[in-house]
């Protein structure tokens, strides 16, 4: 079992920001659309919501974690499609959103509040699928998260993660009149500085200066390798709702030129066999990861 870690200043700050956003019911913190009634249609809805990355992966009877998944339909649909589903999020308000929806639908879920870098609530090899949408950007040490994912995934288990594109994130708000610059060199760490801390959708607007980190693509891939996973898919993309054009120099226009997100899908490799023919279990996650 991995050693539990305490929330640090970054986690505490981002927890407050996400509770604020969720309380204001910013649409990014709420489920989008309404799932249909039939099981087959629910699966199609879920596959569309996850860009087809779940295609062909069975859910019935599987142990599934929606990591940092508060506020979305995914954990509810996992459960309604027969999975043993858990939703994990740092924001109590986000978890409440899912709990209220699940209660209305009579859907059974487990709820865990915590930092995504500490999955000590889960035993080694205890999960078959982890879906992790758009949240690695909110921790400075993504390698710690991925090491934990590798520990708790069962051999053959799948990890699907998306986060902000590390180049595009460095370019927002840098329009010069003729092009974009980088706020930070690609090989420099640290939170991205930005002038406008507002989140808005339609008539709703709120200030919430989240701390966001642009993790280098090679670092994420190599973290998966060190965690005992092999990547079988990698994508750079901008969703339709994020890249709808915009004024010259706007972030919305940049998202039509550069990808807003990266996404990877990885599988946990089988455990190596010992000379006796039995799988060798190596405890992971107890050592401090390299920065």
């Amino acid at each position: 079992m991995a050693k539990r870690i305490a929330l640090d200043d970054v986690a505490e700050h981002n927890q407050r920001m996400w509770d604020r956003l969720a309380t204001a019911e910013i649409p990014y913190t709420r489920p989008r659309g309404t799932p249909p009634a039939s099981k087959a249609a629910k699966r199609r809805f879920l596959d569309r919501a996850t860009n087809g990355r779940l295609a062909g992966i069975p859910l019935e009877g599987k142990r599934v974690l929606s990591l940092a998944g508060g506020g979305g339909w995914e954990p509810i649909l996992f459960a309604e499609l027969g999975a043993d589903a858990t939703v994990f999020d740092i924001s109590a308000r986000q978890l409440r959103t899912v709990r209220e929806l699940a209660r209305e639908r009579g859907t059974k879920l487990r709820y865990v509040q915590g930092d995504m870098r500490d999955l000590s609530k889960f035993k080694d090899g205890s999960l078959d699928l982890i879906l992790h949408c758009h949240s690695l950007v909110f921790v400075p040490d993504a390698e710690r998260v991925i090491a934990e994912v590798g520990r708790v995934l069962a051999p053959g288990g799948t990890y699907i993660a998306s986060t902000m594109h590390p180049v595009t994130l460095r370019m927002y708000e840098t329009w010069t009149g003729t092009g974009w610059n980088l706020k930070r060199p690609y090989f420099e760490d640290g939170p991205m500085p930005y002038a406008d801390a507002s989140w808005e959708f339609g008539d709703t607007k709120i200030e919430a200066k989240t701390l966001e980190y642009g993790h280098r693509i090679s670092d994420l891939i190599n973290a998966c390798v060190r965690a005992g996973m092999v990547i079988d898919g990698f994508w750079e993309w901008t969703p339709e709702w994020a890249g709808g054009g915009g004024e010259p120099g706007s972030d919305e226009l940049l998202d039509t030129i550069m990808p807003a997100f990266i996404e990877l899908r990885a599988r946990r490799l089988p455990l190596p066999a010992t000379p006796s023919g039995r799988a060798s279990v190596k405890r992971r996650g107890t050592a401090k990861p390299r920065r």
Side-chain angles (χ1 to χ4, degrees):
M1 180 70 69
K3 181 180 178 181
R4 184 170 183 144
I5 63 170
L7 291 182
D8 59 15
D9 291 342
V10 172
E12 290 178 348
H13 174 85
N14 281 337
Q15 179 183 25
R16 290 194 302 271
M17 295 301 100
W18 277 103
D19 281 339
R20 179 185 300 177
L21 291 165
T23 299
E25 297 189 349
I26 286 285
Y28 303 114
T29 69
R30 307 287 300 177
R32 302 174 69 88
T34 303
S38 75
K39 210 164 188 177
K42 284 178 185 177
R43 180 60 198 250
R44 290 193 295 270
F45 182 97
L46 178 61
D47 285 348
R48 284 195 300 270
T50 54
N51 302 314
R53 314 305 186 217
L54 285 169
I57 298 176
L59 297 176
E60 184 76 37
K62 299 300 183 181
R63 301 161 298 176
V64 178
L65 175 63
S66 185
L67 183 55
W73 281 119
E74 289 87 353
I76 292 173
L77 291 177
F78 284 142
E80 292 180 359
L81 290 169
D84 178 7
T86 301
V87 57
F88 184 107
D89 204 283
I90 199 170
S91 166
R93 186 63 183 83
Q94 288 281 85
L95 288 174
R96 191 189 315 164
T97 297
V98 178
R99 184 179 286 109
E100 290 169 355
L101 282 169
R103 186 181 298 122
E104 291 172 5
R105 299 168 66 90
T107 304
K108 184 179 179 181
L109 278 173
R110 291 193 188 90
Y111 306 88
V112 179
Q113 184 180 8
D115 187 324
M116 71 183 84
R117 294 168 292 179
D118 176 11
L119 301 182
S120 57
K121 292 281 187 181
F122 304 95
K123 295 180 180 179
D124 294 5
S126 61
L127 296 167
D128 300 303
L129 172 65
I130 298 175
L131 179 68
H132 190 190
C133 293
H134 306 336
S135 60
L136 276 170
V137 69
F138 298 111
V139 295
D141 43 357
E143 181 176 342
R144 187 190 293 270
V145 181
I146 294 171
E148 279 285 80
V149 166
R151 178 184 66 80
V152 301
L153 267 184
T158 301
Y159 175 50
I160 299 171
S162 58
T163 191
M164 300 291 288
H165 196 288
V167 176
T168 312
L169 182 63
R170 285 167 164 80
M171 295 172 68
Y172 291 133
E173 299 184 319
T174 66
W175 178 249
T176 65
T178 57
W180 285 270
N181 288 325
L182 293 176
K183 292 180 179 180
R184 285 186 181 275
Y186 188 66
F187 295 104
E188 184 178 300
D189 296 321
M192 290 301 113
Y194 54 94
D196 185 2
S198 62
W199 294 62
E200 56 184 301
F201 197 96
D203 295 330
T204 306
K205 184 175 181 178
I206 187 170
E207 297 288 312
K209 196 173 182 65
T210 50
L211 297 173
E212 301 172 11
Y213 300 82
H215 302 296
R216 289 177 288 274
I217 292 172
S218 60
D219 290 344
L220 296 178
I221 291 173
N222 286 321
C224 288
V225 173
R226 284 190 290 272
M229 293 184 280
V230 59
I231 293 173
D232 67 5
F234 187 90
W235 302 269
E236 300 173 287
W237 60 287
T238 294
E240 293 179 3
W241 54 266
E247 298 296 322
S250 67
D251 292 348
E252 292 77 15
L253 180 60
L254 178 58
D255 283 339
T256 68
I257 299 169
M258 289 287 295
F261 298 104
I262 58 174
E263 190 165 18
L264 64 86
R265 185 178 61 214
R267 288 181 293 106
R268 181 72 169 90
L269 293 169
L271 296 173
T274 65
S276 66
R278 295 180 178 178
S280 168
V281 178
K282 181 180 180 181
R283 299 295 174 184
R284 312 180 68 86
T286 56
K288 183 177 178 181
R290 294 174 59 194
R291 291 291 196 271

